Amino acid sequence: MAESEKKALVAMSGGVDSSVAAYLMKEKGYSPIGVTMMLHENDEGSIKGTHSCCTQDDIEDARVVASYLGIPFNVVNFLDGFKEKIIDKFIETYLKGETPNPCIDCNKYMKFGRLFEMADEQGCECVVTGHYATVEKDEQTGRYRLRRAKDRKKDQTYVLYFLSQEQLARLVFPLGEYEKEDVRDLAEAQNLIVARKHDSQDICFVPDGDYAGFIERDAAPQVKAALEEAKDSNDPANKSAEGESTYGKFIDKNGHILGVHKGYYHYTIGQRKGLGISAEAPLYVVDIIPKTNEVVLGSNDDLFRREVEAYDFNLISLPEPDNDLVLRVTAKVRYRAVDTPGTITIRKDGTATMLFDEPVRAVTPGQSLVIYDGEYCLGGGIITDNKYVNKED
């Protein structure tokens, strides 16, 4: 196949990054086919002032850019499975007292799987996205590796830790060697209408950022019934200062009641604002106990811990271990976290234990533990088991 006949399926979100990715693939001699994925039906996604993705405006922007670049463009209905795999899991995770990362789940279970199916249908040899990351092939091992982006502030390897060798072999991330401002400048030089468009930040199906409100509106009837049952209006301790019924209690780590709250799913580990509790020293959420409808508050010191457990652990470029695999790595417990060195033990059953050299702050179940060897992302898994541990211990 001649270079000019190589087809590339480009996921176009309607933002500047994916638009420039499409342009760069065309410049490399590929024949790009643009595709925008319609993942959910949410009219609220078009609320002005939100930074959500996947809105009707985004779809139209992607269509205009594709037309300007002179490449085919398709809007594909990916609604099937989105509620079950992404939205329902989002709600269930919060109701377990954890904090989900639905964008990682969406990439893993919806976008990448479907994109490769479409690429095969369209005869495309590669799948292209606007993520800030780089794929390299290790000539010695023959395996593909996921390397951090040149722009470390925009690096997105954290949200790509689930990728397989089969996927990496066909993935292209054209923006991996670019700084974000260079991407915007390039878009502007090519007169792309999205050159200065804001980046999407909000969860697409919760554009107003009110996660608790979304859970209360969209939770299944049996979940709502369980929440109402937990709302014990006969217990004086479950009354706010205004006499309103609440869902449970704020307690300290010794079990002393500090106040009442309106639902444990309103909170996440490390949260300080919005607690409505007066205290001599700042209080933070250090644990969430759904079974007893309690939110544990403590000091900043209570947020630090060295040992982190994870499950569903994926290794990107290393073979799956036959026995326990012990590695010296750096790791992040959230997207914006600083790399911290430590030792990880990865087991054959997909579970892992990370022991950091120094305590890390606000380890949150439901988020991801992602490990690195220098510039390369080795893999990651879902954090589980939150137990507050004083950093002096």
Side-chain angles (χ1 to χ4, degrees):
M1 182 181 287
E3 181 75 5
S4 61
E5 296 175 339
K6 288 182 179 180
K7 293 182 180 180
L9 188 74
V10 184
M12 299 183 68
S13 66
V16 62
D17 295 329
S18 58
S19 298
V20 170
Y23 164 76
L24 289 173
M25 293 304 290
K26 185 175 182 181
E27 286 296 292
K28 290 179 180 179
Y30 283 80
S31 297
I33 299 174
V35 59
T36 292
M37 297 162 281
M38 184 178 292
L39 295 170
H40 63 95
E41 294 177 317
N42 187 354
D43 293 336
E44 292 180 356
S46 298
I47 295 174
K48 292 183 179 180
T50 64
H51 287 183
S52 182
C53 66
C54 311
T55 68
Q56 289 299 319
D57 288 344
D58 292 324
I59 293 173
E60 187 57 31
D61 285 344
R63 190 191 310 276
V64 170
V65 170
S67 176
Y68 181 77
L69 294 176
I71 64 175
F73 177 74
N74 300 286
V75 178
V76 182
N77 186 333
F78 281 4
L79 295 174
D80 184 33
F82 186 81
K83 183 179 187 304
E84 176 186 355
K85 293 181 179 180
I86 310 303
I87 296 180
D88 288 350
K89 183 180 177 182
F90 173 85
I91 293 173
E92 290 168 5
T93 302
Y94 260 111
L95 293 177
K96 287 194 300 182
E98 302 178 354
T99 303
N101 194 326
C103 294
I104 291 179
D105 288 337
C106 185
N107 281 332
K108 181 177 181 179
Y109 297 112
M110 298 298 297
K111 292 182 180 178
F112 280 97
R114 299 288 185 90
L115 285 172
F116 282 100
E117 291 175 4
M118 286 194 61
D120 291 337
E121 294 169 0
Q122 298 287 334
C124 297
E125 70 170 40
C126 61
V127 171
V128 182
T129 75
H131 286 95
Y132 285 81
T134 302
V135 178
E136 292 182 355
K137 186 174 183 179
D138 186 329
E139 296 302 330
Q140 291 185 337
T141 65
R143 297 178 71 83
Y144 292 89
R145 300 193 293 179
L146 181 65
R147 183 166 63 85
R148 301 188 210 239
K150 177 181 179 181
D151 190 337
R152 291 292 284 267
K153 291 182 179 179
K154 296 298 295 182
D155 174 63
Q156 292 175 294
T157 52
Y158 178 88
V159 300
L160 299 171
Y161 72 83
F162 57 83
L163 291 171
S164 68
Q165 283 291 299
E166 293 73 21
Q167 291 171 326
L168 287 173
R170 296 178 63 189
L171 274 170
V172 178
F173 301 127
L175 307 189
E177 299 302 324
Y178 285 82
E179 299 283 346
K180 176 71 178 195
E181 277 309 304
D182 293 336
V183 170
R184 290 199 180 278
D185 291 344
L186 183 55
E188 202 158 52
Q190 297 303 316
N191 296 313
L192 301 183
I193 63 168
V194 294
R196 297 298 162 184
K197 184 178 179 179
H198 62 71
D199 292 332
S200 61
Q201 298 172 350
D202 299 319
I203 295 173
C204 62
F205 54 88
V206 194
D208 61 359
D210 182 7
Y211 305 148
F214 176 81
I215 290 169
E216 291 168 348
R217 291 192 302 271
D218 287 47
Q222 61 269 30
V223 174
K224 292 182 179 180
L227 292 175
E228 285 301 319
E229 184 178 348
K231 189 175 180 180
D232 184 6
S233 58
N234 295 320
D235 185 348
N238 275 12
K239 291 282 188 178
S240 69
E242 292 76 23
E244 297 176 341
S245 297
T246 64
Y247 284 117
K249 306 176 185 70
F250 285 120
I251 62 173
D252 65 18
K253 59 184 180 181
N254 295 316
H256 299 134
I257 297 175
L258 302 177
V260 294
H261 60 73
K262 294 185 177 181
Y264 62 85
Y265 50 87
H266 283 256
Y267 310 96
T268 187
I269 303 300
Q271 181 175 336
R272 176 184 174 186
K273 296 181 178 180
L275 302 180
I277 298 291
S278 297
E280 295 181 359
L283 291 174
Y284 301 82
V285 174
V286 298
D287 202 3
I288 297 170
I289 311 174
K291 187 175 181 179
T292 56
N293 308 298
E294 292 171 322
V295 175
V296 184
L297 304 182
S299 69
N300 186 59
D301 284 354
D302 291 324
L303 288 169
F304 287 80
R305 58 188 293 201
R306 288 185 61 204
E307 189 172 297
V308 178
E309 301 286 339
Y311 67 95
D312 197 18
F313 209 89
N314 177 61
L315 285 170
I316 294 176
S317 51
L318 296 174
E320 294 297 322
D322 292 327
N323 300 299
D324 288 359
L325 178 64
V326 180
L327 300 170
R328 283 291 297 174
V329 297
T330 62
K332 300 169 70 169
V333 294
R334 68 185 63 80
Y335 179 57
R336 295 295 182 189
V338 176
D339 282 48
T340 304
T343 301
I344 191 167
T345 301
I346 304 167
R347 292 173 282 274
K348 188 177 180 179
D349 64 359
T351 62
T353 301
M354 179 77 188
L355 185 63
F356 286 99
D357 292 350
E358 299 291 337
V360 292
R361 186 180 183 277
V363 176
T364 306
Q367 294 290 292
S368 296
L369 172 73
V370 179
I371 61 173
Y372 293 84
D373 179 11
E375 291 296 298
Y376 296 94
C377 178
L378 300 183
I382 310 290
I383 295 171
T384 186
D385 180 37
N386 179 56
K387 297 296 180 185
Y388 45 87
V389 178
N390 191 290
K391 67 179 181 180
E392 300 298 328
D393 293 345

